[in-house]
């Protein structure tokens, strides 16, 4: 090994990454490549000094969702580093935009003179995430600008990602993109040791609360990523709280409406609603979707992501709400939260029996019940999360779900990111487990995420797959009643019979198949020391 000489690329990378750490970035997810070498070597040097955590993922799509999971759980943007000419981050960028998750993208690029001339591994990168990015900068080539420029860019990227700045979206987090062209030499000597002092994130711009009167008969809807304000406002004003299972607000709070779909279908009750205050992004029920389309109500939507929620065309877009003092209406609250007289029989599946084969109801109940305050639960996008939304009662569980776009992509990677962030933030010995509950196609879509570097700590994660041999969510589509069943199977259900046990073994994950409720409960209660796949066979 010959001693490297200095290079403007490395000077810039050091200024940029130390700048990120000084502004509160704690995690970097990097994927290997040549053009990004200065960034990669500065990152690994910072990790060696304990200034930042670095996670290496060969697949940029996996890296993107890992960073998304880190940001979801910690609230701090994780920084992604990749080489030139890769498209892998786009799915995570889009999800981060729609769900309001902070994320920083550092994409290495060719210098301007090598763009548009057919150079190897080069594409049109400046602004490549523009519709979704809160900041898109094509940085100067190191050497053409003072190194201080790169520290300033770091500050700008963090501020944009956490929503401390940015065109009308103040207070809403999202992706920020720095495109980073470099010339040869692509890297040079990195200071050793390379340390940066961890700073605090800039405060998110103060959200101007919309003041609303206490009077009108109001329901609060908490969708995905609703945040704590949904439950707080419902409590303060004495309003019923319709909390999706992914909202984080379906707790034991007495304002939470049990069996909310049944109540919303009660035309007499729903007809009395005068106002809806929505937090986050509700996506799980037709009933809430219908409610939000109504034009005879006042709708206030407190936005968490980059796009406003306005299916009725009449909703008021807000960042926060504040309720003016006024009398409560206990009768209104009781109409929503009192036990249902006609018996809230679950619409799907039957309840668990100790020796019984696991059905979807038993699966979601067991996973929900296993959650302790130190644990995290990520729901994948499939039929299972809808069953969970329908069946599960209030419980204090820290939940996540990628409902920004409700993709089946990146679920395992997101869960690993959540686990890494949760473990970094937990008290020593707390031993929290992150659980991911998803369908079989969602698992297979993201199977590359099972690949974890041998030299990095393995997260304590249980990936629980409800295996019904394909995408059974489509069995509920209206077209399933009319189109030829062979075509439906081929184009929608997409049957699969992948052997999951050897798949887990190939990636070094422990494996459990849980066919009965008792086996499932045992697997969920066992101590988790590393990554584990739990297969739960389900009938179609
Ligand atoms: C990236 C992406 N592609 C396609 C879809 C459409 N889609 C929704 S659910 C689903 C199948 C899910 O199957 P599985 O994970 O097995 O869950 P199940 O419904 O069977 O429980 C697909 C393809 C999507 N949500 N995201
Ligand atoms: Mg399935």
């Amino acid at each position: 090994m010959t001693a490297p000489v200095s290079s403007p690329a490395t000077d810039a990378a050091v200024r940029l990454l130390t700048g990120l750490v000084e502004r509160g970035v704690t995690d970097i997810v990097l994927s290997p490549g040549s053009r990004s070498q200065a960034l990669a070597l500065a990152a690994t040097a910072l990790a060696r000094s304990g200034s930042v955590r670095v996670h290496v993922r060969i697949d940029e799509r996996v890296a993107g969702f890992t960073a998304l999971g880190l940001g979801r759980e910690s609230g701090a943007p994780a920084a992604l580093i990749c080489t030139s000419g890769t498209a892998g981050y786009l799915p995570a960028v889009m999800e981060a935009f729609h769900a309001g998750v902070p994320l920083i993208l550092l994409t290495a690029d060719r210098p301007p003179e090598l763009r548009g001339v057919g150079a190897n591994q080069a594409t049109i990168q400046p602004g490549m995430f523009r519709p979704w990015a809160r900041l898109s900068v094509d940085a100067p080539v190191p050497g053409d600008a003072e190194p201080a420029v790169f520290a300033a860019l770091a500050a700008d990227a963090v501020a944009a990602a956490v929503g401390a700045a940015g065109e009308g979206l103040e207070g809403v987090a999202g992706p920020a993109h720095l495109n980073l062209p470099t010339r040869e030499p692509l890297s040079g000597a990195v200071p050793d040791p390379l340390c940066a002092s961890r700073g605090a994130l800039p405060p998110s711009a103060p959200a101007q609360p919309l003041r609303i009167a206490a009077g009108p008969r109001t329901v609060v809807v908490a969708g995905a990523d609703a945040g704590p304000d949904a439950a707080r406002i419902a409590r303060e004003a004495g309003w019923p709280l319709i909390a999706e299972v992914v909202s984080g607000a379906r707790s034991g709070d007495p304002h939470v409406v049990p069996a909310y779909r049944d109540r919303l279908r009660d035309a007499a009750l729903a007809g009395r609603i005068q106002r809806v205050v929505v937090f986050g992004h509700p996506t799980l029920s037709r009933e809430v979707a219908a409610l939000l389309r109504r034009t005879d109500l006042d709708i206030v939507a407190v936005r968490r992501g980059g796009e406003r929620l306005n299916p009725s065309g009449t909703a008021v877009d807000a960042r926060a709400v504040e309720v003016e003092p006024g009398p409560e209406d206990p009768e209104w609250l009781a109409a929503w939260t009192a036990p249902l007289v006609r018996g809230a029989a679950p619409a799907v599946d039957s309840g668990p029996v100790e020796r019984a084969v696991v059905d979807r109801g038993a699966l979601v109940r067991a996973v929900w019940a296993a959650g302790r305050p130190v644990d995290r639960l990520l729901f994948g996008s499939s039929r299972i999360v809808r069953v969970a939304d329908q069946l599960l009662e209030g419980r204090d569980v820290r939940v996540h779900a990628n409902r920004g776009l409700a993709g089946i992509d990146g679920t395992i990677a997101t869960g690993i990111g959540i686990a890494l962030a949760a473990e970094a933030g937990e008290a020593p010995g707390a031993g929290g487990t992150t659980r991911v509950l998803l369908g079989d196609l969602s698992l297979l879509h993201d199977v590359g995420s099972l690949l974890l570097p041998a030299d990095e700590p393995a997260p304590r994660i249980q990936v629980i797959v409800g295996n019904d041999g394909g995408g059974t969510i489509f069995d509920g589509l209206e077209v399933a009643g009319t189109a030829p069943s062979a075509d439906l199977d081929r184009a929608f259900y997409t049957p699969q019979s992948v052997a999951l046990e050897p798949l887990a073994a190939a990636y070094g994950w422990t494996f459990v198949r849980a066919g009965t409720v008792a086996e499932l409960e045992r697997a969920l209660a066992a101590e988790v020391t590393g990554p584990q796949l739990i297969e739960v066979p389900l009938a179609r």
Side-chain angles (χ1 to χ4, degrees):
M1 196 173 92
T2 52
V5 292
S6 73
S7 124
T10 287
D11 296 344
V14 166
R15 294 299 282 264
L16 179 64
L17 297 188
T18 52
L20 291 178
V21 174
E22 283 161 9
R23 275 163 187 78
V25 171
T26 55
D27 291 85
I28 294 172
V29 187
L30 78 80
S31 301
S34 164
R35 188 62 52 171
S36 52
Q37 59 188 259
L39 290 161
L41 293 171
T44 49
L46 281 168
R48 204 164 37 249
S49 71
S51 304
V52 75
R53 288 181 292 271
V54 167
H55 319 276
V56 181
R57 299 293 184 272
I58 58 164
D59 179 341
E60 288 81 6
R61 189 166 68 165
V62 171
F65 279 104
T66 304
L68 181 89
L70 283 157
R72 270 199 154 278
E73 170 62 28
S74 71
L80 284 157
I81 294 174
C82 72
T83 190
S84 63
T86 83
Y89 291 156
L90 186 58
V93 169
M94 288 165 62
E95 176 61 27
F97 168 80
H98 285 280
V101 177
L103 187 65
I104 293 175
L105 301 124
L106 308 176
T107 56
D109 196 5
R110 310 270 148 171
E113 64 273 15
L114 290 181
R115 294 178 183 168
V117 295
N120 177 39
Q121 221 177 300
T123 184
I124 307 153
Q125 292 188 198
M128 70 193 287
F129 305 117
R130 178 131 20 228
W132 303 279
R134 305 290 292 284
L135 175 78
S136 282
V137 174
D138 189 25
V141 178
D144 293 357
E146 290 300 314
V149 165
F150 294 91
L153 283 175
D156 292 349
V158 177
V162 301
E167 303 126 40
L169 281 174
E170 293 87 354
V172 178
H177 176 207
L178 302 182
N179 189 56
L180 299 162
T182 48
R183 288 195 189 96
E184 319 257 334
L186 296 178
S187 68
V190 182
D192 188 24
L194 180 60
C195 302
S197 46
R198 275 195 198 178
L201 288 175
S204 177
Q208 257 321 314
L210 179 75
R211 283 177 69 83
I212 57 175
R217 286 188 299 275
T218 302
V219 294
V220 178
V221 173
D225 300 312
D229 279 0
R232 184 178 60 78
I233 291 288
R235 248 190 330 266
E236 282 173 10
W239 290 330
L241 173 60
I242 290 174
E244 287 194 343
V245 74
V246 296
S247 67
R250 189 174 293 185
S251 66
D253 189 304
H255 295 84
V256 173
V257 177
Y260 76 83
R261 298 179 64 174
D262 294 340
R263 315 253 178 173
L264 284 173
R265 280 198 299 268
D266 177 343
L269 183 58
R272 294 177 63 207
I273 301 173
Q274 294 175 316
R275 185 174 56 197
V276 184
V277 181
V278 192
F279 291 82
H281 191 201
T283 58
L284 291 177
S285 75
R286 288 170 193 224
E287 289 80 2
V288 167
L291 176 69
L292 298 179
R293 281 196 304 271
R294 278 171 61 177
T295 51
D296 62 322
L297 305 166
D298 289 333
I299 299 180
V300 176
V302 183
R303 188 210 290 223
R304 295 288 179 242
E307 194 169 89
R308 64 179 298 193
L309 179 75
N310 188 18
S312 66
T314 59
V316 175
D317 181 30
R319 299 290 173 278
V321 293
E322 200 176 274
V323 187
E324 290 165 356
E328 289 195 13
D329 184 351
E331 182 275 326
W332 177 242
L333 179 63
W336 288 88
T337 55
L340 278 178
V341 258
R342 53 195 159 77
V348 284
D349 294 332
S350 52
V353 185
E354 171 71 1
R355 296 248 144 250
V357 167
V358 187
D359 61 20
R360 287 179 189 77
L363 171 59
V364 300
R365 284 194 178 100
V367 173
W368 191 242
R372 304 162 297 160
V374 289
D375 298 335
R376 303 289 181 268
L377 174 57
L378 171 70
F379 284 101
S381 300
S382 72
R383 189 172 160 187
I384 293 167
V385 67
R386 289 169 190 271
V387 173
D389 189 57
Q390 233 168 314
L391 291 190
L392 295 178
E393 290 173 1
R395 185 179 170 84
D396 291 305
V397 177
R398 282 282 293 269
V399 290
H400 289 281
N402 284 338
R403 300 303 298 179
L405 289 175
I408 61 164
D409 45 354
T411 317
I412 299 170
T414 305
I416 289 170
I418 290 168
L420 291 168
E423 289 172 27
E426 76 189 4
T433 298
T434 296
R435 299 192 175 87
V436 180
L437 178 56
L438 81 179
D440 49 297
L441 293 189
S442 308
L443 170 89
L444 295 171
H445 200 294
D446 194 28
V447 92
S449 290
L450 299 180
L451 177 60
L452 291 165
D455 56 355
E456 287 179 27
R460 293 189 300 273
I461 188 166
Q462 287 182 320
V463 171
I464 304 133
V465 53
N467 190 356
D468 48 21
T472 60
I473 198 165
F474 298 124
D475 293 349
L477 292 182
E478 256 134 49
V479 67
T482 54
S485 72
D487 291 358
L488 287 165
D489 273 12
R490 180 161 188 229
F492 295 90
Y493 176 61
T494 51
Q496 62 78 25
S497 52
V498 174
L500 297 184
E501 184 164 8
L503 180 75
Y507 284 99
W509 286 48
T510 60
F511 177 85
V512 176
R513 185 175 296 109
T516 67
V517 176
E519 283 167 354
L520 176 59
E521 287 174 349
R522 242 193 328 273
L524 293 168
E527 197 198 344
V528 179
T529 52
Q532 180 174 60
L533 182 64
I534 300 178
E535 179 183 12
V536 179
L538 294 174
R540 180 172 179 184

